[in-house]
Amino acid sequence: MASRRSRLALTGIAVVLGSAFIAAALVLTASIEATVDELNEDAYVGSEALVEPVEPETRGERLVREGVSAESLAAIEGDPDVAGTSVTVSWMINAIGSDGKIVGGFAPTIAVNWGDESIVRELREGRAPEADGEVAVSAAFVDAAGFGLGDTVTAYSLASEETEYDIVGVFGYSGGRDSLGGATELAFTMPEAQRLVFEGQDAYTAVAVSAADGVTDDELVERLAAVIGDEATAITVADYNEETSAETAEAVRLIGFFLLGFGLIAVFVSMFLIANTFTIVITGRLKEFAMLRAIGAGRGQVVRSVLVEALALGTGAAVIGAALGVGGGIGLASLASNQILDTASFTTAVPVSAVLAALAVGIGVTVLSALLPALRASRIMPVEAMRDAAKTDKPITGITVLGSFIAGLGTALMIYGLAADLGDRDIAYAAGGAALAFIGLTLLTPWLSRPLVGMLGLVWSWSFAGKLGRRNAARNPRRTAVTAAALMIGVTLVTTAATLMMSIEKSLDASLDDNVAAELFVTGPVYSSVPGTFDPALMEDMRAVEGVDAAAELYYDPAKIDGAEQIVYASSDLSGGLGLYGVPVEQGSIADLADDEIAVSASTAQEAGVGLDDTVSVEFTRGDEAHEFTVAAVLADSDNISGWFATPALAEEFYTPEPTEALIDVADSADIEAVSSALDGLLADEPEVSVQNREEYIEELTVMFDFAIIAIQALLGLAMIVAVIGVINTLVLSILERTRELGMLRAIGMTRGQSVRMVTVESLTITLFGAVLGIGVGLVLAWVAQRALVEEGVEIFAVPTALIVGYLAAAVVVGLLAAIAPAMRASRVNILGAIAYE
């Protein structure tokens, strides 16, 4: 190892990366979980039990607020086992920021009662609210809304009208936090908080209870259960914190899994790099091993010498990687605590498993990757020491046959999974077949390298140096294939993801084109925690805008139909047969749907076991009693909207009694931008919604997919780092192997510049081979995924041409960077020393 330090250092970098990401992922997850546990301990300090209302099954995904009644609170406070109580009123509301739009989005804005002792709120400016027209706001709300102390803010809930409040205080939380999990809070007096959350009822979201002396937590919970009856449920604060920590930890683990994915990718591709490095090094030491065998070394000694070398390399790299990973994990935990948990302090947790996993993976992968080259070295016969002939490359027939078999089996499984009617199993067959096909193609890369490298090399063959570079890249198919594997894997992943995401976007766009006869959409943020609504009276004004052919609003409610939760829609477009939504009627009619009639989508009707003229019982979210409806029509299934449909006259009983969306059909001769501008003017006083064209609407629907592509492209960046290392390592070792050859070329007239160009062409050809192969495999895998999702509405296969061109350009950059050090080394070969090289 001492004589090959520089050769093995680059190999160690790949092991360092893999070990570091694994350690960082585990340390990050453990640290965040420990921080969350510590923060949860700040909640309900001094209380032993918590009383909460019984949630009404899954009614509207908890959209309807239930509360602990004042009678139950009085009964709790009157119990001799209770030393004291603290009450909480809390739920999502809307607040209008300085820009005239709703504050928040994915993270909600929440109304709370000031004086709630369950959370430590620390006043930073001003004072607590004392009158119903006053409010104290969180520091996060000040940043998000653009309002501060002394300003006036408008807030309201689904249970109340818009009301203006004077901001009299600004507060933060324990640990220096500006928010709790990104949410923004407005703290009101108790009566005002109850008006906003419970429509003025004397009820509470939760009651924290402290036990009297000598009463254990479990005894207190038993006593409370007897006092509150079936209206609410009691749990110890310790159990509540444990449940809350578990829920938060589940979300935090996603970050850890993402980093773990980085590590596994780095480890996987480093296996190719390590195996390639040891193969090249051992090939250059054949005479050495043969001489050792000739003087008495056994095969086991040769294997052990190589494995000990690998063990030393893996141990050193894994230790460095584990140390970097622990440090990086702590740094990421600090960042995540600040950005996600919004706390200035965090708890460091370095589990022993994180260090052990990093060491085990780093050492294990290195030793296993070196095993096959070591076994090959042990088979060197002593007579080889007497020969000076060049060793011929090992045939690739065996690996080609094996790769062809696995790829063929995978292809057959893909076809079977896509063609057979297997229900849920078809995707499993297709996915399993795609994985096998990918493994098979990976094994076939040596066979594919010669024709593909030859074709790619034609670009450079106009010069003498270019021809030599192309031939050098093609002379050892195994080595070229393994060197290009790191880049191929990364490009395959990102091409598959990008193509699938674009296919989903294009399919959604096509579905809207085919089924939705509207060019403009009036809607709130798609991923908002509180649905945006607007005044239904504006619909007539929208229809009157010049250039508008038709407009239809949409209401929805998570109602109960025959006891099962179902989504019920209402729209004035019913008289037109839901034409704007592109939903044709299969049976019956909805042109004159009565208030006691309902329509249903075909698949929903089948699931519910109902048909035309059947009767169903419907209980709306805000209704006092169930309604009996007759099924007047069965509608065709649609990718855009499906469920139950009623008349807008019933919307006052919906959870959202105002429409959440409107579709606008613009006349062919009208200017869409002018119509959009006119509609914006009408909605100036509607902060929850805005006007979007088709492209903007689709972009918002697919924003999560864009985040996924960015994340996976980060994986490509990691693969490219490993690819650069692999290409540099391979070329440097290859140049050492070809020292005499390079010296002879220089002796017969090759210039230093030609040497540099030759090595650069070789590097570019290898990286382009990996990129082209990765793009091809990625497109095939994306096509398989798209075909498997056809029934889910992904009917179009779209290729992200611009991104693919970018990947090819990135491969060129990788090739150029990787060629710098080897090319310089080749150009500096001492001619006389190389010719005399032994």
Side-chain angles (χ1 to χ4, degrees):
M1 287 191 70
S3 65
R4 288 177 291 276
R5 290 188 298 269
S6 59
R7 304 184 195 182
L8 298 178
L10 288 170
T11 306
I13 293 176
V15 182
V16 168
L17 285 173
S19 299
F21 274 108
I22 288 171
L26 297 176
V27 170
L28 169 67
T29 303
S31 296
I32 294 297
E33 289 180 1
T35 302
V36 169
D37 289 342
E38 188 171 294
L39 291 175
N40 284 337
E41 290 176 2
D42 292 339
Y44 303 109
V45 175
S47 299
E48 286 73 42
L50 188 67
V51 176
E52 295 180 301
V54 175
E55 294 291 350
E57 299 176 6
T58 59
R59 183 73 179 280
E61 298 179 354
R62 301 185 180 182
L63 293 175
V64 178
R65 297 308 293 155
E66 300 289 337
V68 178
S69 67
E71 291 76 15
S72 292
L73 175 61
I76 293 170
E77 291 176 333
D79 192 280
D81 291 338
V82 174
T85 61
S86 173
V87 293
T88 299
V89 173
S90 173
W91 192 232
M92 295 179 291
I93 62 168
N94 286 321
I96 302 173
S98 58
D99 60 355
K101 293 297 180 181
I102 293 298
V103 177
F106 190 76
T109 297
I110 299 175
V112 298
N113 62 299
W114 184 263
D116 175 14
E117 299 173 1
S118 63
I119 298 293
V120 178
R121 295 182 174 89
E122 304 166 343
L123 267 176
R124 295 181 182 175
E125 296 181 76
R127 59 176 176 82
E130 298 172 353
D132 292 346
E134 296 178 342
V135 65
V137 299
S138 66
F141 180 83
V142 172
D143 292 337
F147 288 137
L149 189 66
D151 291 330
T152 300
V153 61
T154 299
Y156 59 97
S157 68
L158 290 172
S160 70
E161 70 282 355
E162 292 185 7
T163 305
E164 290 188 348
Y165 299 92
D166 295 328
I167 299 177
V168 297
V170 176
F171 60 86
Y173 308 86
S174 60
R177 291 173 288 172
D178 289 344
S179 75
L180 296 175
T184 56
E185 284 192 346
L186 286 81
F188 303 89
T189 61
M190 176 62 79
E192 187 63 14
Q194 289 178 322
R195 187 182 74 84
L196 289 166
V197 176
F198 296 115
E199 298 181 283
Q201 298 179 37
D202 192 3
Y204 308 91
T205 307
V207 178
V209 184
S210 57
D213 292 340
V215 179
T216 67
D217 295 1
D218 291 334
E219 289 173 345
L220 178 62
V221 166
E222 285 186 23
R223 182 60 184 166
L224 290 173
V227 169
I228 59 180
D230 296 333
E231 178 192 84
T233 181
I235 185 174
T236 65
V237 168
D239 289 343
Y240 174 81
N241 287 339
E242 184 178 343
E243 291 179 5
T244 304
S245 295
E247 291 175 2
T248 308
E250 190 67 29
V252 170
R253 287 193 188 100
L254 293 176
I255 303 172
F257 288 149
F258 181 68
L259 279 179
L260 198 59
F262 274 70
L264 293 175
I265 291 295
V267 167
F268 184 60
V269 297
S270 66
M271 291 177 65
F272 292 91
L273 191 155
I274 296 165
N276 203 29
T277 299
F278 274 93
T279 299
I280 296 171
V281 169
I282 289 171
T283 300
R285 296 167 58 193
L286 291 181
K287 280 193 175 184
E288 176 188 328
F289 287 124
M291 185 62 70
L292 287 171
R293 293 293 311 284
I295 63 175
R299 288 187 175 182
Q301 287 177 305
V302 173
V303 171
R304 287 195 296 276
S305 71
V306 175
L307 292 183
V308 166
E309 190 173 320
L311 178 63
L313 172 67
T315 302
V319 168
I320 295 172
L324 291 176
V326 169
I330 293 173
L332 288 171
S334 174
L335 179 64
S337 297
N338 184 266
Q339 297 297 321
I340 299 175
L341 302 177
D342 198 17
T343 177
S345 61
F346 71 99
T347 303
T348 300
V350 182
V352 175
S353 59
V355 177
L356 293 179
L359 293 176
V361 169
I363 296 171
V365 165
T366 308
V367 173
L368 288 175
S369 300
L371 180 60
L372 189 58
L375 292 174
R376 289 176 184 167
S378 70
R379 298 190 182 104
I380 302 300
M381 301 302 294
V383 72
E384 292 287 341
M386 309 299 176
R387 297 181 181 176
D388 195 33
K391 183 174 177 65
T392 57
D393 294 329
K394 186 177 179 181
I396 61 173
T397 304
I399 196 171
T400 301
V401 172
L402 178 62
S404 299
F405 173 75
I406 295 176
L409 178 62
T411 303
L413 283 174
M414 283 193 297
I415 294 173
Y416 180 66
L418 295 175
D421 186 12
L422 304 174
D424 293 337
R425 290 181 295 164
D426 53 358
I427 295 180
Y429 275 103
L436 283 177
F438 177 66
I439 294 171
L441 285 170
T442 302
L443 295 175
L444 285 172
T445 49
W447 176 74
L448 292 169
S449 67
R450 275 183 175 155
L452 283 178
V453 166
M455 287 188 291
L456 291 170
L458 291 175
V459 179
W460 330 107
S461 293
W462 52 269
S463 68
F464 168 71
K467 289 179 181 178
L468 286 179
R470 183 192 68 175
R471 291 178 180 179
N472 286 337
R475 70 198 294 180
N476 193 323
R478 283 176 178 270
R479 183 178 301 175
T480 298
V482 174
T483 305
L487 190 59
M488 182 199 77
I489 293 168
V491 174
T492 296
L493 287 174
V494 75
T495 301
T496 302
T499 304
L500 185 58
M501 296 303 104
M502 179 165 282
S503 298
I504 293 173
E505 289 186 23
K506 294 297 182 183
S507 298
L508 180 59
D509 193 8
S511 177
L512 290 175
D513 279 337
D514 295 340
N515 301 316
V516 178
E519 289 77 25
L520 296 175
F521 302 81
V522 176
T523 180
V526 173
Y527 296 104
S528 174
S529 55
V530 179
T533 62
F534 61 93
D535 186 351
L538 289 173
M539 289 306 302
E540 290 304 318
D541 296 332
M542 293 185 196
R543 295 185 181 98
V545 170
E546 184 178 354
V548 172
D549 263 356
E553 78 284 16
L554 186 72
Y555 305 79
Y556 86 96
D557 185 58
K560 284 187 176 180
I561 297 183
D562 289 339
E565 185 170 332
Q566 301 279 326
I567 296 296
V568 177
Y569 297 97
S571 174
S572 59
D573 191 32
L574 290 174
S575 59
L578 284 173
L580 287 183
Y581 286 94
V583 184
V585 177
E586 290 186 350
Q587 302 177 48
S589 172
I590 58 173
D592 298 307
L593 198 68
D595 290 347
D596 60 351
E597 293 179 328
I598 199 167
V600 61
S601 300
S603 59
T604 304
Q606 184 176 2
E607 291 175 4
V610 300
L612 198 65
D613 297 328
D614 285 345
T615 300
V616 293
S617 175
V618 181
E619 182 183 350
F620 295 116
T621 302
R622 296 183 178 279
D624 295 329
E625 58 184 19
H627 298 264
E628 296 296 323
F629 288 91
T630 301
V631 178
V634 177
L635 312 177
D637 289 326
S638 169
D639 294 332
N640 300 309
I641 187 171
S642 62
W644 301 80
F645 301 88
T647 63
L650 299 162
E652 62 183 15
E653 296 187 32
F654 284 15
Y655 170 69
T656 51
E658 292 184 332
T660 58
E661 179 180 276
L663 271 61
I664 311 297
D665 184 21
V666 180
D668 295 339
S669 58
D671 183 349
I672 293 180
E673 290 187 6
V675 174
S676 177
S677 179
L679 292 172
D680 274 329
L682 290 176
L683 297 169
D685 295 327
E686 298 292 336
E688 299 178 40
V689 295
S690 59
V691 181
Q692 296 177 317
N693 58 34
R694 187 183 297 270
E695 290 74 20
E696 293 168 337
Y697 184 64
I698 293 175
E699 183 178 347
E700 186 165 352
L701 287 175
T702 57
V703 65
M704 293 299 182
F705 301 143
D706 296 334
F707 287 141
I709 292 177
I710 292 172
I712 295 173
Q713 282 177 333
L715 283 177
L716 175 62
L718 175 64
M720 284 189 167
I721 292 173
V722 179
V724 169
I725 297 169
V727 175
I728 292 174
N729 217 18
T730 298
L731 291 179
V732 167
L733 295 174
S734 177
I735 287 167
L736 289 172
E737 280 185 342
R738 291 149 45 194
T739 300
R740 179 178 289 186
E741 174 187 317
L742 289 169
M744 187 62 70
L745 289 171
R746 291 294 312 281
I748 63 175
M750 174 179 271
T751 66
R752 287 189 173 184
Q754 287 176 314
S755 298
V756 170
R757 289 194 294 276
M758 178 185 71
V759 176
T760 302
V761 165
E762 186 176 351
S763 176
L764 284 171
T765 303
I766 291 172
T767 55
L768 279 175
F769 167 65
V772 169
L773 198 59
I775 289 169
V777 175
L779 289 175
V780 171
L781 294 180
W783 177 80
V784 172
Q786 180 266 322
R787 296 308 305 166
L789 295 173
V790 166
E791 293 185 359
E792 306 299 324
V794 187
E795 299 179 352
I796 294 177
F797 179 70
V799 178
T801 307
L803 285 176
I804 287 176
V805 171
Y807 302 153
L808 290 174
V812 171
V813 173
V814 167
L816 291 173
L817 292 174
I820 294 174
M824 291 297 99
R825 189 182 188 105
S827 69
R828 293 169 183 163
V829 167
N830 182 283
I831 298 174
L832 294 179
I835 293 174
Y837 173 73
E838 289 294 339

